[in-house]
Amino acid sequence: MNANSTPRAGRDLAVTATLARLLERLEHSVQPVDPVQYRSVVLHLVHEFEDLPSEELKPVLDAFPAASELYENLHYQHAGLCRSGLDSAMGAELQARQVIERARAQAAGPNTSRKGTDVQH
């Protein structure tokens, strides 16, 4: 057994988590983000993803949605949207349907929404 394997993996995961945390902060920044800095963080994180097995990345990806989305996009050709929750996708679809139905009702005009309330002469 190599005595350096566990500490090295821990250090690599710590670097990955730090970069993931930084990406999350950049994603949610209210201040404009320098594109060069953003790209640098993403490229470094991609490099870290390459060095670690996916099972070791799971806690980091679960904790940082921006890193999870990046990881998912990198592996889309093989696994699709493997990290996106089905519940959130279904919820988004239901919300979209509700918005579309409200828009259709508004487009139909006030006469159809107030059926039976018109005064007849």
Side-chain angles (χ1 to χ4, degrees), residues 3-18 48 51-53 56 60:
N4 292 333
S5 63
T6 303
R8 181 162 193 257
R11 279 197 313 267
D12 290 345
L13 196 56
V15 169
T16 305
T18 300
E48 290 297 318
D51 290 345
L52 292 168
E56 287 185 35
V60 173

Side-chain angles (χ1 to χ4, degrees), residues 61-106:
L61 299 177
D62 289 345
F64 301 104
S68 180
E69 186 176 345
L70 174 63
Y71 182 83
E72 189 175 64
N73 287 336
L74 291 168
H75 296 90
Y76 183 79
Q77 66 188 19
H78 303 292
L81 299 175
C82 59
R83 296 202 47 84
S84 293
L86 185 57
D87 289 341
S88 62
M90 292 283 292
E93 183 177 343
L94 289 174
Q95 283 181 325
R97 285 185 181 185
Q98 291 171 350
V99 169
I100 290 168
E101 287 185 24
R102 280 195 303 263
R104 283 183 181 158
Q106 287 177 351

Side-chain angles (χ1 to χ4, degrees), residues 22-34 37-38:
L22 180 55
L23 179 61
E24 199 71 31
R25 287 180 63 194
L26 292 173
E27 284 282 332
H28 298 287
S29 175
V30 294
Q31 303 281 328
V33 175
D34 178 27
Q37 180 188 18
Y38 185 90

Side-chain angles (χ1 to χ4, degrees), residues 19 22 26 34-46:
L19 287 166
L22 180 55
L26 292 173
D34 178 27
V36 174
Q37 180 188 18
Y38 185 90
R39 185 171 191 269
S40 175
V41 170
V42 167
L43 291 176
H44 281 89
L45 191 53
V46 167

Side-chain angles (χ1 to χ4, degrees), residues 114 116-121:
R114 296 176 27 189
T117 59
D118 292 338
V119 178
Q120 294 182 353
H121 296 278

